[in-house]
Amino acid sequence: MKILIVGAGRVGAGVAESLVSEKNDITVVDRDADGLRELQQRLDLRGVVGSGTDPLVLAEAGARDTDLLIACAAQDEVNLVCCKLAWMLFNIPTRIARVRARAYEDGSALLSKEGFAVDHILCPEDLLTRYIGLLVQYPEALQVREFAGGRACLVSARARMGAPAVGVQIKTLREQMPEVAMRIVAIYRRFTEGPDRFVPCDGDTFIEPGDEVFVLAGRQRIAQVLAALHRRQDQPAQPVRRIMVAGASSVGERLAQELASQQGRFHIKIIEENAERCQQLAARVPEGVLVLHGEASDESLLEEEGVQETDLFLSLSDDEEDNIMASLLAKRMGARRVLALINRHTYADLMHGTQIDIALSPTQTILGELLTYVRRGDVQAVHSLRRGVAEALEVVVRGDRKTSRVVGRRVQDLSLPPEVHIGLIVRGLPDPEAPPPAEDEAPRTLPPSEPEIIIPRSHTVLESNDHVVFFLPRKRLVRQVEELFRVRATFF
């Protein structure tokens, strides 16, 4: 696929690095010649110096035969104008714009072909806020990724000694929890030398203490799954109540507003070293959110504000090194769980799962949204995992027995690589491609039934409009899955 990225800042460079690794034809446009030169030396891509709002620059960057435009410059207006030019002058089929302003939402008339011609709005701050909100809801999870409109989730948790699922084989776990429909799709195991390594899962695999275990299940079963992996049988649940946020960034502010809207549920404190920013924030956040002027690395301030009683400490400033130091200090002082926003892959790899419980990379959070447009076939959701090495994706089954290799066929008969796991199937979701009812057809009197979460077995038969969720331990396997689910005019 030929992809044009406008903006080589933190987001643009991170997206380019991920997409180049999939052998896409990438061109990056930016005003910063030195930054582009460094990016070209590091990655196999083409750079064009100039503005994304200049038609001549876009033409030089190859906009006329581009498949996908990702406008992620620092200014919203640049990204919006760039998408309009891409549609009017170059007819680029798919256009994505990074926009921070909340006035622009998908489906708005402002974004239609007559407006700014944006197919999808990408707001990293909103994505991060929503994701951190899920981690607040499920405090034992290291990751929570949603599929099928939130009806199913992929969660990962650190296996803890004494938890019911730890120290047993996966097949024994199924016998112990028959009422919980779930599928363990991957285990990453700690070794004394080197990073965590992927361990293939089958019924004979043991879950060991310290393993990072990835599980697919219906949303209503997630709490049980996490408890089985991370909580001792005699230990009560510990919901998040006290939250301390270090850094009044846009993510910190949005998160505080969202959590404070659930009145009485959370006690939220925000620490910010800029006095003027503190005053602005205090005027905007709801009552009950305490804004403190000071440094998050000030040990006496953290102790005075009760960091040792904090359920969740969030380092969300724009300086990743400050985030790391503040999180390490908070953990040492007794915070139950800490999360740091870290942009560099190397830092995130070093810190994730150590003293810092969760090292969150904004680029990886954004990447899933973009990959939905890069993947072939009817892909509804993509989540990049393990710093982009692994992937989970939701594919919709299309066609019939004549045009599809999968419709009407059992799971055991599908030509899938052995490493690929079909984690679950969501059946019964509304089908936007279904033909409308005939005029003489009687109207339905029964309400539509709830979608069904199916944990597939070897004999499970796939049907058209099934939403199938896969876990792929290596990204190179994606093309084989896409090819299998592709609909053809005829299939023999």
Side-chain angles (χ1 to χ4, degrees):
M1 177 178 282
K2 188 167 184 181
I3 301 172
L4 175 58
I5 299 173
V6 174
R10 189 177 288 169
V11 173
V15 167
E17 183 175 358
S18 296
L19 296 179
V20 158
S21 67
E22 300 187 17
K23 299 181 180 178
N24 292 296
D25 182 359
I26 307 290
T27 302
V28 180
V29 172
D30 197 273
R31 289 179 177 273
D32 182 3
D34 292 335
L36 268 182
R37 192 178 303 112
E38 187 275 331
L39 199 62
Q40 284 180 280
Q41 289 172 350
R42 193 161 51 87
L43 304 172
D44 181 18
L45 53 75
R46 179 175 172 239
V48 175
V49 179
S51 170
T53 59
D54 185 338
L56 295 177
V57 171
L58 294 177
E60 184 186 346
R64 294 194 190 282
D65 58 349
T66 290
D67 302 304
L68 171 64
L69 167 74
I70 303 170
C72 51
Q75 297 83 22
D76 290 356
E77 52 270 28
V78 170
N79 298 329
L80 292 169
V81 171
C82 181
C83 285
K84 185 64 176 177
L85 292 173
W87 172 246
M88 284 187 65
L89 302 181
F90 304 105
N91 200 26
I92 295 177
T94 307
R95 302 157 306 282
I96 300 173
R98 175 191 179 179
V99 178
R100 290 188 177 92
R102 293 186 171 182
Y104 300 92
E105 294 181 353
D106 285 344
S108 164
L110 288 170
L111 305 180
S112 66
K113 298 284 174 59
E114 292 72 29
F116 286 109
V118 178
D119 290 308
H120 181 59
I121 287 290
L122 188 68
C123 180
E125 292 80 8
D126 272 353
L127 291 173
L128 286 167
T129 301
R130 197 157 59 240
Y131 183 63
I132 295 171
L134 287 171
L135 294 172
V136 171
Q137 186 179 352
Y138 300 107
E140 291 146 332
L142 295 174
Q143 297 187 59
V144 183
R145 306 293 183 179
E146 294 182 307
F147 296 96
R151 294 174 177 83
C153 293
L154 173 70
V155 294
S156 77
R158 188 72 66 187
R160 199 170 171 191
M161 178 74 79
V166 179
V168 302
Q169 289 178 303
I170 291 174
K171 63 184 178 185
T172 307
L173 185 61
R174 294 186 195 128
E175 295 165 3
Q176 290 178 350
M177 304 172 66
E179 77 286 357
V180 180
M182 64 175 181
R183 171 66 52 80
I184 295 176
V185 292
I187 291 174
Y188 287 85
R189 183 157 294 160
R190 286 177 169 173
F191 293 89
T192 52
E193 295 181 3
D196 295 3
R197 293 204 290 271
F198 172 72
V199 176
C201 297
D202 57 32
D204 295 325
T205 305
F206 279 89
I207 300 172
E208 297 182 3
D211 286 350
E212 184 175 357
V213 184
F214 284 80
V215 185
L216 271 164
R219 192 186 192 99
Q220 69 277 13
R221 295 296 188 184
I222 293 303
Q224 289 172 272
V225 169
L226 292 171
L229 288 167
H230 193 74
R231 196 191 314 156
R232 296 182 182 90
Q233 285 182 318
D234 58 346
Q235 183 181 1
Q238 293 181 293
V240 172
R241 294 279 183 258
R242 295 179 177 85
I243 299 173
M244 190 175 289
V245 180
S249 62
S250 55
V251 176
E253 180 181 344
R254 291 182 192 217
L255 182 66
Q257 290 176 336
E258 184 178 298
L259 296 178
S261 65
Q262 305 174 48
Q263 293 184 0
R265 183 176 175 186
F266 302 106
H267 302 281
I268 304 168
K269 296 179 181 180
I270 303 177
I271 300 174
E272 170 58 43
E273 60 179 319
N274 184 297
E276 184 180 353
R277 174 69 177 143
C278 276
Q279 292 178 344
Q280 295 171 349
L281 188 63
R284 286 203 293 260
V285 295
E287 271 187 59
V289 177
L290 183 61
V291 180
L292 304 165
H293 178 224
E295 293 186 13
S297 56
D298 184 341
E299 195 168 345
S300 60
L301 174 62
L302 293 180
E303 185 174 4
E304 185 180 332
E305 294 302 328
V307 71
Q308 66 276 6
E309 298 173 353
T310 297
D311 298 313
L312 184 60
F313 184 91
L314 304 167
S315 291
L316 304 177
S317 78
D318 294 323
D319 188 316
E320 60 191 351
E321 292 175 0
D322 284 353
N323 291 342
I324 291 170
M325 296 308 296
S327 295
L328 291 172
L329 178 61
K331 190 70 172 180
R332 195 191 74 187
M333 294 181 69
R336 181 155 64 94
R337 197 166 177 80
V338 300
L339 178 149
L341 204 60
I342 302 175
N343 288 289
R344 296 188 206 178
H345 291 310
T346 49
Y347 284 8
D349 287 339
L350 286 170
M351 293 298 157
H352 181 75
T354 57
Q355 295 97 328
I356 295 177
D357 298 295
I358 302 171
L360 187 57
S361 166
T363 303
Q364 290 300 312
T365 305
I366 296 161
L367 190 58
E369 289 275 315
L370 295 174
L371 287 175
T372 304
Y373 293 87
V374 176
R375 297 282 171 259
R376 298 178 185 132
D378 196 344
V379 175
Q380 294 291 301
V382 182
H383 294 294
S384 182
L385 307 166
R386 303 294 299 184
R387 316 292 169 252
V389 174
E391 200 166 285
L393 69 160
E394 173 190 346
V395 181
V396 182
V397 177
R398 295 296 181 200
D400 52 33
R401 285 192 67 92
K402 293 181 179 179
T403 60
S404 168
R405 297 185 188 184
V406 298
V407 172
R409 289 164 178 82
R410 296 177 299 178
V411 168
Q412 67 183 18
D413 298 328
L414 302 182
S415 301
L416 284 169
E419 300 159 286
V420 174
H421 281 274
I422 296 183
L424 59 77
I425 299 168
V426 183
R427 182 168 291 167
L429 286 168
D431 184 2
E433 295 191 7
E439 293 183 8
D440 57 348
E441 186 177 326
R444 289 186 60 169
T445 56
L446 294 174
S449 58
E450 276 295 308
E452 180 185 5
I453 304 290
I454 300 169
I455 301 300
R457 305 299 178 199
S458 59
H459 60 271
T460 303
V461 176
L462 295 185
E463 298 179 5
S464 186
N465 196 45
D466 279 352
H467 288 237
V468 184
V469 182
F470 293 90
F471 180 89
L472 294 82
R474 293 172 186 81
K475 197 162 58 172
R476 61 177 172 76
L477 300 167
V478 169
R479 289 287 177 256
Q480 295 177 60
V481 174
E482 290 175 338
E483 184 64 23
L484 180 65
F485 278 75
R486 201 169 141 205
V487 175
R488 291 168 171 75
T490 57
F491 168 68
F492 296 98

